[in-house]
Amino acid sequence: EPEVTQTPSHQVTQMGQEVILRCVPISNHLYFYWYRQILGQKVEFLVSFYNNEISEKSEIFDDQFSVERPDGSNFTLKIRSTKLEDSAMYFCASSVQGNGYTFGSGTRLTVV
Amino acid sequence: QQPVQSPQAVILREGEDAVINCSSSKALYSVHWYRQKHGEAPVFLMILLKGGEQKGHDKISASFNEKKQQSSLYLTASQLSYSGTYFCGTAGTGNQFYFGTGTSLTVIP
């Protein structure tokens, strides 16, 4: 069964450092998303991406965040200067619009 | 914008039934349901695309009342494997998609 792949599974970084979280969506999916889940809390929408541009973003997705699809297969989330409160599980998802979203297994980001 | 789910938590004995409700203040164009096990990614259960639609998968089914901007997930004859946190997800216009507040379901023997 096709799956969304995320790497790394766990990233530890120092406050102020830049991190890049990587995702390989399902190959025939056209819509890509990043979500975040702080431990024990709800899943929060960050951004959606379609046709090589951001289509929607939440208030969480401020100037320190950016997304890119550099090579037609990878979909990355960059956090420029990490803060302690960025520690969370980050999920990538992809979809064919109108169908369910397939989530990756997540990257646990720990900012110390 | 975030849909509200009720109840927040429920504990069932194996074989009992449960209903989880999802309610939005905004117009809904579709409703998705997911289950998340602790430490894992959400797993898609089903999507309802139009008002009045009902769907079922095994002993889990859902309904979507477009006019009331509500959806309900029905779990019948619950099994231990049903334990987890259930999220509804609602799509409005564009590509916004928001998860509900979540319902923790625990099934005990």
Side-chain angles (χ1 to χ4, degrees):
Chain A
E1 189 172 324
E3 56 182 32
V4 175
T5 306
Q6 287 187 245
T7 54
S9 57
H10 190 190
Q11 172 102 38
V12 181
T13 189
Q14 287 199 322
M15 195 167 54
Q17 295 295 305
E18 174 183 286
V19 293
I20 297 177
L21 310 183
R22 302 179 192 281
C23 170
V24 179
I26 293 173
S27 60
N28 64 333
H29 284 187
L30 302 176
Y31 297 82
F32 314 115
Y33 310 85
W34 283 101
Y35 290 84
R36 141 182 123 174
Q37 187 177 34
I38 295 169
L39 188 63
Q41 298 186 25
K42 62 183 185 287
V43 181
E44 298 174 297
F45 170 74
L46 292 178
V47 66
S48 61
F49 191 87
Y50 170 71
N51 201 25
N52 284 320
E53 60 183 21
I54 291 173
S55 48
E56 298 287 345
K57 60 182 181 179
S58 72
E59 58 275 6
I60 301 170
F61 194 87
D62 60 21
D63 291 344
Q64 71 161 345
F65 290 93
S66 62
V67 289
E68 214 176 28
R69 189 155 160 82
D71 56 14
S73 61
N74 289 286
F75 179 50
T76 62
L77 175 70
K78 182 192 291 186
I79 310 175
R80 284 192 188 82
S81 177
T82 50
K83 305 172 196 163
L84 294 176
E85 54 265 36
D86 292 329
S87 295
M89 197 78 167
Y90 287 80
F91 292 107
C92 172
S94 68
S95 78
V96 175
Q97 191 177 32
N99 296 325
Y101 295 59
T102 302
F103 283 83
S105 54
T107 293
R108 181 171 298 284
L109 178 67
T110 303
V111 182
V112 297
Chain B
Q1 282 177 327
Q2 183 183 28
V4 176
Q5 289 181 232
S6 62
Q8 287 186 323
V10 58
I11 299 175
L12 299 174
R13 291 201 178 274
E14 235 178 328
E16 291 182 337
D17 302 341
V19 180
I20 299 172
N21 298 304
C22 172
S23 180
S24 173
S25 59
K26 302 276 185 184
L28 300 178
Y29 294 87
S30 66
V31 178
H32 305 221
W33 284 97
Y34 293 82
R35 176 171 60 213
Q36 185 180 30
K37 302 272 187 181
H38 181 70
E40 299 179 11
V43 173
F44 172 71
L45 294 176
M46 65 187 79
I47 180 174
L48 299 103
L49 295 175
K50 54 186 177 183
E53 186 171 13
Q54 292 193 334
K55 276 195 174 178
H57 176 67
D58 199 7
K59 292 192 172 77
I60 299 175
S61 61
S63 64
F64 177 23
N65 187 324
E66 195 173 15
K67 286 183 181 174
K68 290 186 178 178
Q69 296 167 187
Q70 293 175 344
S71 178
S72 295
L73 185 73
Y74 307 94
L75 300 102
T76 56
S78 57
Q79 306 166 16
L80 295 176
S81 60
Y82 287 3
S83 292
T85 301
Y86 288 78
F87 291 97
C88 65
T90 57
T93 57
N95 279 318
Q96 309 116 309
F97 182 83
Y98 295 93
F99 281 92
T101 48
T103 296
S104 172
L105 183 84
T106 305
V107 182
I108 58 176

